Amino acid sequence: FFFFFFFQAEDGIRDFCLSRGLGDVYKRQVLRHTMDGLTVLDKDDKPIPGVAKDWEISSDQLTYTFNLRTDYKWSNGDPVTAKDFEFAFKSLLEPKFAATFSYFGHIFKNGEKYSKGEVTFDQVGVKVLDDHKLQLTLENQTPYMLDILTYSTFYPVNEKVYNQFGTKYGTDADKIVTNGAYKMKSWQHESEIVLEKNADYPDANNVNIKTINMKMLNDANARMNNFKTNTLDMFKLSGEQAEQMRAEGQPVLNYEDGSTWYFEFNTGKKELSNANIRKALTLAIDTDTFVKDVLKDSSKKATQFVSPVVQGNKDKFTKEVGDLFKPYNLSEAKTLLEQGKRELGIDDIKLSIITAVSYTHLT
């Protein structure tokens, strides 16, 4: 079986390899298919054993000892060991590495101090007990510990191969090794990535799709045309395209990707340095109408910054915390706008909006 779908731009793959951070959900798709962490997510987004077959948690919930499976291999045949995770976590926190998501590693004891150059790594809560046993000690109790370890920031890195390629690691199909269900067969830059089933994957018998073709298509119309000519099996629709496809009797499926979209104010601009003006602009956006009549892509209005798919303590975080954003209120927005202008001593405001036009959310 072959599967074709699209994603946008490829810099995030290099970003993972070089700075341990990722730009968006599309770029993480490559890593989700090619890498496994200590834990992985099941079909219900619950953490289950990945490279770690089991683990023990101390009574104070600060120390996690992971027993690793011995049948995981890198795509070059090297065994996956605890040292691969140690190297990855050290790289994540390394001050000179300047990782985008280094703060994720602050969950480890002395992780933040190491990232600031205040302690040596042997004082960080990451210890290799043997080739297949890893102990992680936390700065504070972290109830979501097993969940966060599924994230790409905590994937292992083969130190030998990384050192072999240096800054070129992860820039071509032959300059990266992976340990997941698929391995990278080819990479035509700005065009296509082809993944093939990893025969050495421990759970290979349950991987039914042999090849995944990931096409890089930034133009929405090009994606639509590729789908209609059977070059794509799946692609992301704009609101208008969703309406068109439904009218043509095509199946349109919805899923929540966990992302939140928002306007970011440039507070260096005089008008936007005023809190009341920022509040006014926020309250003046009728998000109900915006998602229904403008986006038309099954988006939901945000009632807080955290996505509804994010798990809280016992239930979804949004359900446990409730709505945090004030709803659309044009009257209050006008009052705040006038108050903000008086505070700044100005009569008129002229603003511009820059959007990421490559994303169908904003085109």
Side-chain angles (χ1 to χ4, degrees):
F1 293 93
F2 298 84
F3 185 64
F4 297 81
F5 76 103
F6 94 99
F7 70 108
Q8 294 170 297
E10 62 182 44
D11 293 340
I13 304 162
R14 298 191 188 102
D15 192 34
F16 160 73
C17 299
L18 301 179
S19 70
R20 305 291 294 157
L22 286 165
D24 59 55
V25 292
Y26 300 111
K27 299 163 188 176
R28 286 195 292 273
Q29 292 287 2
V30 179
L31 298 172
R32 285 196 187 114
H33 286 85
T34 58
M35 294 291 298
D36 277 2
L38 291 167
T39 56
V40 297
L41 294 176
D42 66 9
K43 61 182 179 62
D44 299 314
D45 288 333
K46 303 295 183 183
I48 59 174
V51 177
K53 63 180 179 180
D54 55 43
W55 48 83
E56 300 169 5
I57 305 174
S58 62
S59 58
D60 61 6
Q61 298 184 338
L62 291 176
T63 302
Y64 288 66
T65 303
F66 294 89
N67 297 303
L68 276 55
R69 295 176 60 154
T70 60
D71 52 355
Y72 263 89
K73 295 180 181 180
W74 290 103
S75 51
N76 67 345
D78 290 347
V80 178
T81 70
K83 291 182 178 179
D84 296 318
F85 287 95
E86 179 191 44
F87 176 70
F89 300 165
K90 183 179 180 180
S91 299
L92 173 66
L93 292 165
E94 188 68 47
K96 64 181 180 182
F97 215 56
T100 306
F101 286 179
S102 64
Y103 63 90
F104 274 45
H106 294 177
I107 61 173
F108 301 133
K109 181 180 179 180
N110 289 328
E112 183 174 8
K113 290 182 178 179
Y114 179 74
S115 69
K116 293 179 178 179
E118 296 174 359
V119 299
T120 56
F121 190 71
D122 61 356
Q123 296 174 277
V124 177
V126 178
K127 305 294 181 187
V128 173
L129 302 183
D130 63 41
D131 281 351
H132 294 94
K133 182 167 287 191
L134 180 71
Q135 187 176 83
L136 302 178
T137 303
L138 308 183
E139 188 71 32
N140 300 292
Q141 290 184 0
T142 308
Y144 53 86
M145 177 64 175
L146 297 176
D147 295 82
I148 201 171
L149 289 176
T150 68
Y151 194 65
S152 52
T153 302
F154 294 100
Y155 288 160
V157 175
N158 185 311
E159 182 176 8
K160 180 186 73 175
V161 178
Y162 178 84
N163 289 336
Q164 177 185 350
F165 294 112
T167 57
K168 292 185 178 181
Y169 182 81
T171 58
D172 278 301
D174 61 352
K175 293 181 177 63
I176 185 173
V177 291
T178 54
N179 73 336
Y182 292 88
K183 54 187 179 181
M184 195 178 295
K185 181 179 180 181
S186 64
W187 181 354
Q188 292 178 287
H189 292 282
E190 305 299 342
S191 178
E192 181 182 50
I193 286 177
V194 178
L195 306 180
E196 64 179 4
K197 178 179 175 179
N198 178 9
D200 292 326
Y201 184 60
D203 197 29
N205 288 338
N206 290 318
V207 179
N208 297 317
I209 297 175
K210 293 182 179 180
T211 305
I212 300 177
N213 295 70
M214 298 177 164
K215 293 184 176 293
M216 301 175 206
L217 300 169
N218 289 314
D219 182 76
N221 292 325
R223 296 196 290 269
M224 172 77 88
N225 293 335
N226 272 261
F227 180 82
K228 289 189 171 184
T229 56
N230 294 320
T231 308
L232 287 179
D233 295 302
M234 180 181 78
F235 75 106
K236 187 175 182 66
L237 295 162
S238 66
E240 290 78 9
Q241 288 176 331
E243 289 185 333
Q244 179 182 340
M245 296 299 274
R246 289 191 182 100
E248 295 176 3
Q250 295 283 358
V252 177
L253 305 179
N254 298 320
Y255 75 98
E256 296 183 72
D257 63 15
S259 61
T260 303
W261 294 81
Y262 56 93
F263 289 118
E264 185 172 0
F265 297 115
N266 179 5
T267 55
K269 188 175 178 62
K270 181 180 178 180
E271 296 92 330
L272 296 176
S273 67
N274 183 274
N276 284 318
I277 290 178
R278 296 196 302 271
K279 290 177 183 178
L281 292 171
T282 300
L283 292 176
I285 300 174
D286 184 351
T287 49
D288 279 314
T289 300
F290 182 69
V291 298
K292 180 182 177 182
D293 297 333
V294 178
L295 295 182
K296 298 183 286 187
D297 61 357
S298 301
S299 292
K300 299 177 182 178
K301 75 171 184 178
T303 59
Q304 56 174 262
F305 186 77
V306 177
S307 166
V309 305
V310 175
Q311 184 65 28
N313 187 24
K314 294 182 180 179
D315 202 344
K316 297 300 183 183
F317 183 84
T318 50
K319 291 184 179 180
E320 293 182 347
V321 176
D323 294 348
L324 300 180
F325 294 163
K326 283 188 175 182
Y328 165 70
N329 189 323
L330 188 57
S331 175
E332 184 178 355
K334 290 179 178 179
T335 299
L336 289 169
L337 179 62
E338 293 304 315
Q339 182 178 340
K341 289 194 296 184
R342 286 196 301 272
E343 291 169 352
L344 293 176
I346 59 177
D347 296 321
D348 298 304
I349 293 177
K350 184 177 181 180
L351 301 173
S352 58
I353 298 176
I354 300 174
T355 66
V357 294
S358 62
Y359 292 97
T360 56
H361 299 70
L362 299 175
T363 52

